[in-house]
Amino acid sequence: MQSLTSRDAASEAREEIGPVTEPAAAEAPRSAGPAGPAGPEDGRTRRRLNSYERAVDAFLDLVESGNDAPTAQQIAERSGISVRTVFRLTEDIESLHAAGILRQMERTAHLYVALPKSGPLATRMRMLVKNRVDVFETIAPVRRFADRMAATSARIAEGLELHHLVLRTQVAEVFERELKEKPRHRRATALDAIDVAASWENWELLRQGKGLSVTSAARVMEVLIAGAVRG
């Protein structure tokens, strides 16, 4: 089974998604020489890029604070730029949404840590669940927004698919020993079962659907993972 750390997988996911549409002036004009003074066009480009970054951060901050459908007006107010500038910076509001999802991946990349592949099974399960709690509770508001938008945004849907790959890769690594001990024809099914037990969708069901606390949801997730690993 090919080894790929969760951090590496997250990096690959961001690279695979590629750059989200940014302002047309994203590529700064070349100066006459390495020591040449920046011209007016350089200043306009920097200001344009700065405004774009502020708009993306404003969108992400609004979603993370509980606004599940930020408008261009709200993004403008939060970022301190005009609504006209918000629309001038992006092809459409969907591009800004996609940029925000990608930005969140960058903000939370430190959470996708490599977990031990050896040692007691109970310890590895406990560490996996703790990591999933850290990740899922952090990304929850933006992830819920992305889930709603994925049906109409191919780029957001692609980002979610790659995020799932990161999580599945982590599961495959943590339980590589147990998976190898199973008959070959059962390994894929076992991996699917563990993947589902430790998934964002399962966590969302426990937290929102069942109304469980973080502690109770974590306990249930650990029980489900244990059953999938040993099943």
Side-chain angles (χ1 to χ4, degrees):
M1 185 176 297
Q2 184 178 4
S3 176
L4 177 66
T5 67
S6 298
R7 186 177 295 276
D8 290 340
S11 298
E12 285 196 6
R14 292 194 298 276
E15 293 170 2
E16 188 72 21
I17 292 173
V20 177
T21 303
E22 294 194 358
E27 184 177 346
R30 297 178 181 177
S31 59
E41 187 63 28
D42 292 316
R44 285 194 294 271
T45 297
R46 284 195 297 272
R47 287 193 297 273
R48 188 177 180 86
L49 288 173
N50 180 58
S51 295
Y52 181 80
E53 294 296 316
R54 286 163 60 191
V56 171
D57 284 334
F59 159 75
L60 194 53
D61 290 341
L62 285 166
V63 175
E64 290 180 337
S65 66
N67 186 331
D68 60 1
T71 64
Q73 179 67 43
Q74 290 170 330
I75 292 171
E77 292 173 356
R78 182 71 173 238
S79 63
I81 61 180
S82 68
V83 175
R84 181 180 178 183
T85 299
V86 170
F87 282 112
R88 190 171 67 244
L89 291 172
T90 60
E91 293 179 350
D92 49 44
I93 198 67
E94 180 188 321
S95 298
L96 194 60
H97 292 165
I101 303 303
L102 183 60
R103 176 64 53 78
Q104 193 210 38
M105 292 182 68
E106 296 170 352
R107 284 185 178 184
T108 59
H110 65 284
L111 297 175
Y112 298 90
V113 299
L115 298 176
K117 296 186 288 185
S118 59
L121 175 60
T123 299
R124 282 180 283 135
M125 288 192 295
R126 191 159 49 250
M127 292 184 69
L128 174 66
V129 171
K130 181 182 183 305
N131 183 245
R132 292 294 163 101
V133 171
D134 291 342
V135 171
F136 293 158
E137 286 297 297
T138 300
I139 72 171
V142 178
R143 175 58 194 253
R144 290 177 189 129
F145 178 88
D147 284 341
R148 293 196 305 274
M149 299 299 298
T152 56
S153 172
R155 187 171 290 277
I156 290 177
E158 182 182 2
L160 295 184
E161 183 179 346
L162 289 166
H163 181 244
H164 174 235
L165 174 62
V166 171
L167 300 180
R168 185 179 176 87
T169 297
Q170 185 184 52
V171 164
E173 291 179 344
V174 170
F175 303 112
E176 182 176 8
R177 186 175 70 192
E178 286 74 20
L179 290 169
K180 283 184 176 180
E181 290 174 352
K182 296 184 182 297
R184 186 176 298 275
H185 69 278
R186 291 185 53 202
R187 291 175 189 171
T189 300
L191 177 57
D192 286 340
I194 304 169
D195 187 25
V196 170
S199 68
W200 154 258
E201 290 79 7
N202 187 39
W203 183 255
E204 181 73 345
L205 173 63
L206 295 172
R207 294 283 283 125
Q208 298 297 309
K210 300 294 185 182
L212 299 182
S213 67
V214 171
T215 300
S216 295
R219 287 174 182 156
V220 173
M221 176 173 277
E222 188 170 338
V223 169
L224 294 173
I225 293 172
V229 172
R230 296 172 175 139

